[in-house]
Amino acid sequence: EAGVAQSPRYKIIEKRQSVAFWCNPISGHATLYWYQQILGQGPKLLIQFQNNGVVDDSQLPKDRFSAERLKGVDSTLKIQPAKLEDSAVYLCASSSGVWTQYFGPGTRLLVL
Amino acid sequence: QQQVKQSPQSLIVQKGGISIINCAYENTAFDYFPWYQQFPGKGPALLIAIRPDVSEKKEGRFTISFNKSAKQFSLHIMDSQPGDSATYFCAAARYGGSQGNLIFGKGTKLSVKP
């Protein structure tokens, strides 16, 4: 079974630029999550999708972050414009049921 | 009330020793407590998880102890090996009614010395 795929793996941008991350969940997993992991901290949920609908986006900074999951499969997370404090690893996870979330390798973002 | 507090921040253990990591939570509505293991450059991977209806769960060298009244749970790694060197995160979630999001602790960096 293929795992959660994410791209790119690394990204360096200047502040105020825009950036997009892509996630392909495990086949058949209806639930998709985006987490932000700042260095030295645990992951923090940004947004949760059930199929192509948003379940929870209460911690998503909506003035600069957006996410979509068209057709209920792949998902894209966008930051526009980026700030220095957005430097972090962005993790995508997926789940087929209630309990176990499977994480991808993450995209490491550095904002200069 | 949504926080999960994890300690210690870092831990050094000799090969063959026991590693113990502790977590505490406030929200009594949490009903799912997983532990994740993360190696550098990788995403977290589920190690073991427990529901509050049991006080202990063991899988191989890994054991979760759960104390509902104290709102605490811990991970014990028996016979620790250098390959166990990683960052460990406890988490908690409320799954009543729908798939809830995981609230993670800040992590414990474990180093097992040969």
Side-chain angles (χ1 to χ4, degrees):
Chain A
E1 180 180 76
V4 176
Q6 291 188 246
S7 67
R9 293 296 313 276
Y10 304 92
K11 191 74 177 179
I12 300 175
I13 61 172
E14 300 281 334
K15 61 182 179 182
R16 291 188 289 272
Q17 285 186 325
S18 63
V19 64
F21 313 127
W22 174 83
C23 173
N24 181 240
I26 293 173
S27 178
H29 282 195
T31 309
L32 186 147
Y33 310 81
W34 282 102
Y35 288 86
Q36 180 192 58
Q37 185 175 21
I38 293 173
L39 186 65
Q41 296 186 23
K44 184 186 82 171
L45 181 73
L46 293 175
I47 189 167
Q48 176 186 345
F49 291 95
Q50 178 77 16
N51 295 308
N52 60 350
V54 175
V55 174
D56 183 355
D57 64 356
S58 58
Q59 298 189 90
L60 186 73
K62 298 181 186 63
D63 58 334
R64 297 183 302 105
F65 286 65
S66 64
E68 61 182 10
R69 190 184 184 195
L70 300 176
K71 302 180 182 177
V73 181
D74 293 6
S75 178
T76 303
L77 177 70
K78 296 179 181 177
I79 307 175
Q80 182 179 12
K83 292 185 175 182
L84 297 177
E85 59 261 37
D86 298 332
S87 295
V89 176
Y90 290 85
L91 294 162
C92 179
S94 70
S95 173
S96 65
V98 180
W99 307 114
T100 305
Q101 295 184 24
Y102 297 88
F103 284 81
T107 295
R108 190 174 302 271
L109 173 67
L110 179 61
V111 182
L112 302 175
Chain B
Q1 204 180 28
Q2 285 291 89
Q3 284 186 330
V4 176
K5 295 182 179 179
Q6 183 172 346
S7 63
Q9 189 173 358
S10 62
L11 181 62
I12 300 174
V13 173
Q14 288 297 123
K15 178 182 176 181
I18 302 173
S19 304
I20 302 174
I21 305 171
N22 301 299
C23 283
Y25 64 98
E26 290 293 325
N27 190 344
T28 56
F30 288 145
D31 56 3
Y32 174 63
F33 303 91
W35 285 89
Y36 278 80
Q37 180 188 55
Q38 186 175 31
F39 292 103
K42 305 290 186 182
L46 179 66
L47 194 60
I48 186 172
I50 198 168
R51 298 284 315 276
D53 51 346
V54 296
S55 60
E56 186 175 281
K57 183 175 181 180
K58 183 176 180 179
E59 289 184 3
R61 297 185 294 110
F62 302 92
T63 300
I64 298 180
S65 297
F66 185 81
N67 186 329
K68 188 174 181 178
S69 61
K71 292 185 285 186
Q72 295 176 348
F73 57 109
S74 60
L75 176 69
H76 295 232
I77 306 174
M78 311 299 288
D79 187 26
S80 299
Q81 300 297 313
D84 297 331
S85 297
T87 300
Y88 293 81
F89 294 94
C90 63
R94 180 183 176 212
Y95 275 86
S98 63
Q99 297 180 41
N101 74 78
L102 291 170
I103 309 297
F104 283 86
K106 290 191 174 184
T108 296
K109 186 174 183 179
L110 171 66
S111 297
V112 182
K113 300 300 184 184

